[in-house]
Amino acid sequence: MMDVKKIKDEHVTLQEYTYQLGNVDKGYTNRTLYINLSENKIKTKEVTQQMKEKFIGGKGFGLWYLWNAVTPQTKWNDPENEIVIAGGPICGITQYPGSGKSLICTISPLTGIPIDSNVGGYFGPLLKFSGWDALEIQGKADKDVIIVIDGNNGTVKIEEAPLEAIDGHVIGEQLTEMYADSEEDKRNVAVVTAGTAAEHTLVGLLNFTFYDVRRKVARLKQAGRGGIGTVFRNKKIKALVVKYQGVKGNLNNPVDQGTINQTGIKLHKEICKLDDKQNGMRKIGTANIIEVMDEYDLLPTHNFKFGMHKDTHKISSKVFIEKYITQGMADGCWYGCSMACAKAADKFELKTGPYKGHLVTVDGPEYENAAGLGSNCGIFDPHVVLELNFYCDTYAVDTISFGTITAFIMDCYENGIINKEITGGLELKFGNSDAALELLHQMSRGEGFGKVAGQGVHRMKKLFVEKYGADESFLNDIGMEQKGLEYSQYLSKESLAQQGGYALTNKGPQHDEAWLIFMDMVNNQIPTFDDKAEALHYFPMFRTWFGLYGMCKLPWNDIVPESNAHANEPAKIPEHVQNYVDICNAVTGKSIDKDQLIRESERVYNFQKVFNIRMGKGLRVHDRAPYRSIGPVTVEEYESRQDRYDSQLKEILGYEVDGKTTQEKVKVLRKYREEQFEKLQDTVYARRGWTKEGIPKIEHLKEIGMDLPEVLEVLEKVGETK
Amino acid sequence: MIKVNGRDFQWEEGLTVKGLLEKKKYTFPKIYVRINDELIPQEEYATVEIKDGDDVKVIHMMAGG
């Protein structure tokens, strides 16, 4: 039993702020909380009408505050960089699945531009019910602090906190225990933390807790992407705590509770009836697609070289369901989510590291973890996948980045670019799970090659070229990063639209904007460049919308209603789009339709694009993709699918393959594929209202209502004045 | 010859929807099949035969991680 009293007794209150409790009105508290850790300053800010109209909430509020906080020269570790956490106007309703998300924005250590990450757990909703539409943290503390928001008594405190653990699963438990009045009260406490690796790497994540009353454990959900946890620890924040007792179904004070109830019930029924037949989200969550991706040659294997592997069956969803994941639990990461995809392996015995021998709850595996930590590194041992998953979470390492980083290192190792001497003895070959685990433990300790790996693929490429004489063009081909962010886990070579879905993004290659592989490659629903460009306009804008309102994207399309079989545009899941329109209007009192929904996102999306330009990125050159995401880099890759590539050369280009070497064929195919990508870029930019350089046109910004003076000022500086 | 998702595919006598899905290795359960724009119920996949020249759409409603 942890002695939380002793830990708490060491707290020193640096600042205390009292505020009037208030009610939420149509989804908004209409105020936000600002904290400056350099000055121990706490204050209230008013939410303006312009913020609500142009930025909505969630990621929109985050980007707006961040824009006003930083300059074009601001680096991720400068005091003025902020971490902004915001739900959104729908966040916190309990009737519709996936309504408890927080959106976090900061200047990323990996990319140097704004990153946003969407995470479950109870913090966002409890923050709002405590009286705040957003939490904005600026400055840096001298010593480790926690910030405690008591939403029942109306206080905010900054406290020095020297004794708490750093690792996520320990401090999550400590603070839940410390701030809950009783066992029953634990579900009213939500904690945000990072972990030890966030101090030594650039890929640190944030853990958001939710107390699982059945398991009696503080579960963890991750804001994983872009190194937000690294910023968090750089500010010397150990944790954020929010406490609010009294969650019920109408706290957003919506204008039309009946519609929210009805729409929620409709989806709950669909999930209940269809989940077993469709995805099995309630059994295994997103990991249900591991074997599907393998069967369709899309599962990244050996640093995205291949799309399938003979051993994938060893880490299939069935294995996790039968051997590890506790079944039949209400695994929602916010109240009322009947999709229940936040799966967990309980009493999992760790075999390595500082917690060796401990029985822990592992939150996962999600698909990205299984693919990134498993197949992409050539690891097909489900226990190792879960152990890596656990340690990534508790140390605060983004599982997606870790998978892609480790796979890249393994590829470099096998190509003789690095060796045992360089890695400090780690034999980082594909499939070496001991070496992968040790690499992760080194990240936590800030030692050895783990510290190098924690800088991410972008910086490692430079290091390997400068220090070890590696071939720069080869590393640029196989290093699966763009804008500094590591790719997530889908093999995009056979889908031009998915290549764009990764590369033509604001924050870097992340599938949450546009996941078009099946729609493009298998279904052939978007065959022309114009079709692909339309999809690369619609889907990123649609999915951005979830981040503005505090929603999860999964209930949109992981369960598909029966009506969809007759829909004109089935990929959009029109019945579910209408659900979102309905609950949005029912909470806020707006009267948007499905087109205005897209327009709301378009404003924020273009704002983020201009923000990137303001920070010195955001142009066409920054949307260039590593060739491995487009086509076969090596002879080995080409020959692994020779029939497919030979046919393409013959049928599409009329190229006679007989008598040609593989190197010659790789070169011809590459020229063609790269031209296709360039053409896609042109078409997508035009559809999005951007110039050929990727700059939003002023006439377009006027049309969508995002021609703010500060936005136009940035564009004038890059010569876009029309 | 038939069309499957807009691409040519070799037709053969007695080809059922189930047979086509197996040949194409389309194993994901969230699939809709339309033949000449007519929706085929899942329980009929084993019995409905595809005719030479048919336009078959096999739409995967994939989600994403």
Side-chain angles (χ1 to χ4, degrees), chain A residues 28 41 69 89 97 110 164 173 178 224 258 278 306 317 403 407 437 481 506 515 519 532 583 591 615 649 714 720:
Chain A
Y28 291 96
K41 185 171 149 190
L110 288 169
E164 279 82 354
E173 289 286 332
M178 189 183 295
Q278 293 187 356
F306 313 118
S317 62
L437 278 159
E481 63 85 18
N506 279 325
W515 196 81
M519 196 179 169
K532 293 182 206 304
I583 59 172
S591 56
M615 300 305 286
L649 285 174
V714 170
E720 176 58 23

Side-chain angles (χ1 to χ4, degrees), chain A residues 380-395:
Chain A
F380 295 93
D381 179 336
H383 190 100
V384 173
V385 169
L386 283 171
E387 183 138 345
L388 285 166
N389 192 156
F390 172 80
Y391 273 115
C392 276
D393 290 351
T394 201
Y395 290 157

Side-chain angles (χ1 to χ4, degrees), chain A residues 269-423:
Chain A
K269 283 182 179 170
E270 278 173 26
I271 291 171
C272 188
K273 183 177 177 185
L274 301 172
D275 180 55
D276 268 353
K277 285 191 275 185
Q278 293 187 356
N279 280 358
M281 294 293 281
R282 296 198 292 183
K283 285 196 176 81
I284 186 60
T286 57
N288 72 82
I289 59 172
I290 298 167
E291 56 271 27
V292 177
M293 302 311 285
D294 185 83
E295 282 159 8
Y296 287 82
D297 198 18
L298 294 171
L299 183 73
T301 305
H302 292 192
N303 192 30
F304 296 87
K305 267 197 275 188
F306 313 118
M308 56 172 62
H309 193 279
K310 64 180 176 49
D311 291 332
T312 298
H313 66 95
K314 294 177 183 171
I315 57 165
S316 75
S317 62
K318 195 178 164 193
V319 173
F320 288 108
I321 290 169
E322 291 179 354
K323 290 191 177 172
Y324 295 100
I325 303 303
T326 309
Q327 295 297 300
M329 298 291 259
D331 286 323
C333 66
W334 175 240
Y335 294 84
C337 186
S338 51
M339 183 164 276
C341 73
K343 310 319 291 184
D346 293 301
K347 296 187 174 58
F348 179 86
E349 184 172 355
L350 297 166
K351 292 183 176 174
T352 68
Y355 307 107
K356 183 179 175 180
H358 288 210
L359 297 178
V360 296
T361 293
V362 186
D363 284 286
E366 295 183 27
Y367 164 74
E368 294 286 341
N369 305 347
L373 308 173
S375 60
N376 210 12
C377 296
I379 293 171
F380 295 93
D381 179 336
H383 190 100
V384 173
V385 169
L386 283 171
E387 183 138 345
L388 285 166
N389 192 156
F390 172 80
Y391 273 115
C392 276
D393 290 351
T394 201
Y395 290 157
V397 176
D398 175 15
T399 49
I400 295 175
S401 277
F402 182 82
T404 300
I405 285 168
T406 308
F408 170 72
I409 291 169
M410 289 172 163
D411 212 353
C412 289
Y413 193 97
E414 298 215 347
N415 276 286
I417 294 164
I418 56 173
N419 53 38
K420 238 178 177 174
E421 200 179 317
I422 291 168
T423 64

Side-chain angles (χ1 to χ4, degrees), chain A residues 457-471:
Chain A
V457 171
H458 183 78
R459 287 170 175 80
M460 271 193 292
K461 287 193 302 191
K462 195 164 182 287
L463 178 78
F464 292 175
V465 170
E466 288 173 358
K467 206 164 171 186
Y468 309 123
D471 176 349

Side-chain angles (χ1 to χ4, degrees), chain A residues 169-182:
Chain A
H169 79 293
V170 184
I171 188 173
E173 289 286 332
Q174 287 174 340
L175 294 177
T176 303
E177 180 84 22
M178 189 183 295
Y179 286 98
D181 298 332
S182 62

